[in-house]
């Protein structure tokens, strides 16, 4: 998220004012999300975001700044970010026939969403695909 593009209206939508935002900005770290979509012709990238709520010392309940920004962004909203390549890659078998057993918890499910989407695209194009079991 490009913090330079956040204005007062965006802050108000998230229960913040400029002074509070600047005062708490030093605690904001970059957020990393896993891609949850298979490569496709539309060049669309999907991510899986888990909403986060927390209680401040004064017992006020807030949601995470980045996750709530993404959660409440209107459909079609342009969100600026960056991509960072990781050295560990999860890959599918070379053919679509072997069954997949996917076991995950939480946001670790993101790459599995891309596997499921990839198999769905293959099946729609007439390729025989194996079963997928998700736990």
């Amino acid at each position: 998220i490009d913090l330079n593009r956040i204005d007062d209206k965006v802050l108000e939508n998230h229960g913040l004012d400029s002074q509070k935002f600047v005062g708490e900005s030093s605690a904001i770290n970059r957020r990393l999300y896993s891609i949850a979509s298979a490569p496709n012709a539309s060049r669309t990238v999907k991510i899986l975001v888990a909403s986060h709520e927390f209680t401040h010392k004064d017992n006020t309940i807030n949601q995470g700044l980045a996750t709530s920004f993404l959660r409440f962004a209107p459909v079609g909203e342009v969100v600026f970010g960056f991509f960072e390549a990781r050295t560990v890659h999860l890959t599918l078998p070379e053919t679509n026939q072997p069954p997949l057993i996917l076991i995950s918890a939480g946001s670790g499910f993101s790459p599995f969403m891309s596997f499921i989407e990839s198999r769905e695209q293959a099946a729609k194009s007439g390729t025989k695909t194996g079963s997928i079991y998700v736990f």
Side-chain angles (χ1 to χ4, degrees):
I1 296 173
D2 185 347
L3 296 177
N4 295 318
R5 295 180 181 268
I6 295 178
D7 60 20
D8 286 335
K9 183 177 178 186
V10 172
L11 293 173
E12 288 173 17
N13 290 341
H14 297 287
L16 296 171
D17 60 33
S18 298
Q19 188 173 18
K20 185 175 180 181
F21 178 76
V22 170
E24 295 183 8
S25 291
S26 62
I28 298 172
N29 295 319
R30 69 182 181 159
R31 302 299 188 254
L32 302 176
Y33 299 98
S34 296
I35 295 175
S37 55
N40 59 45
S42 71
R43 299 177 49 91
T44 299
V45 176
K46 298 175 189 173
I47 58 174
L48 177 64
V49 178
S51 184
H52 177 70
E53 288 188 355
F54 57 94
T55 305
H56 283 283
K57 292 176 187 174
D58 65 359
N59 290 324
T60 58
I61 297 174
N62 282 46
Q63 296 180 339
L65 181 64
T67 55
S68 62
F69 177 82
L70 293 171
R71 180 179 176 199
F72 296 112
V75 173
E77 178 82 9
V78 175
V79 178
F80 295 90
F82 68 95
F83 291 94
E84 180 179 303
R86 294 293 192 178
T87 56
V88 177
H89 299 282
L90 297 174
T91 57
L92 287 170
E94 289 187 26
T95 67
N96 288 305
Q97 281 84 19
L100 297 178
I101 299 173
L102 308 175
I103 303 170
S104 177
S107 61
F109 190 74
S110 293
F112 295 167
M113 291 176 65
S114 69
F115 293 170
I116 294 166
E117 188 175 292
S118 179
R119 285 275 174 107
E120 182 181 49
Q121 289 173 4
K124 285 181 180 177
S125 70
T127 302
K128 184 177 178 180
T129 60
S131 299
I132 301 176
Y133 303 93
V134 181
F135 299 94

